Amino acid sequence: MNTGLALCRITNGRLAATRHRVRHAETARRSIPFFLEPRADFVVAPSSVGLPGHEDGAPTYESFLATSLAKFGEYASSTSASSRPS
């Protein structure tokens, strides 16, 4: 099971984020991705799930996701192009 950065942050690192990668295989491979995301206003902090932890300035999931996705050039270029005035 792959876990992401949000789950890593929420659990204070108890569940580590998995580096996502695809490796070429000589044999056929099947995978079933399943993505579960919280509401946009969910606060990405341990206290949100009943765990102790530091959360001063903890972002909402919407903000956390936008920051995470901005690291990918494909996402950054597509969002900046769609936000330009016509």
Side-chain angles (χ1 to χ4, degrees):
M1 176 174 87
N2 290 335
T3 62
L5 293 172
L7 193 54
C8 181
R9 180 183 171 102
I10 292 168
T11 63
N12 279 326
R14 291 179 186 160
L15 296 176
T18 304
R19 183 173 174 232
H20 297 280
R21 62 196 176 281
V22 176
R23 295 183 182 170
H24 176 72
E26 298 296 325
T27 59
R29 175 181 170 233
R30 292 191 175 110
S31 65
I32 302 172
F34 175 77
F35 298 93
L36 178 65
E37 297 187 37
R39 295 185 332 228
D41 63 345
F42 179 81
V43 177
V44 184
S47 64
S48 297
V49 293
L51 294 174
H54 182 72
E55 61 184 74
D56 287 344
T60 62
Y61 183 69
E62 180 177 34
S63 173
F64 182 85
L65 183 61
T67 301
S68 296
L69 291 176
K71 297 173 186 172
F72 295 95
E74 299 85 2
Y75 178 80
S77 62
S78 69
T79 56
S80 62
S82 64
S83 63
R84 291 185 197 136
S86 5

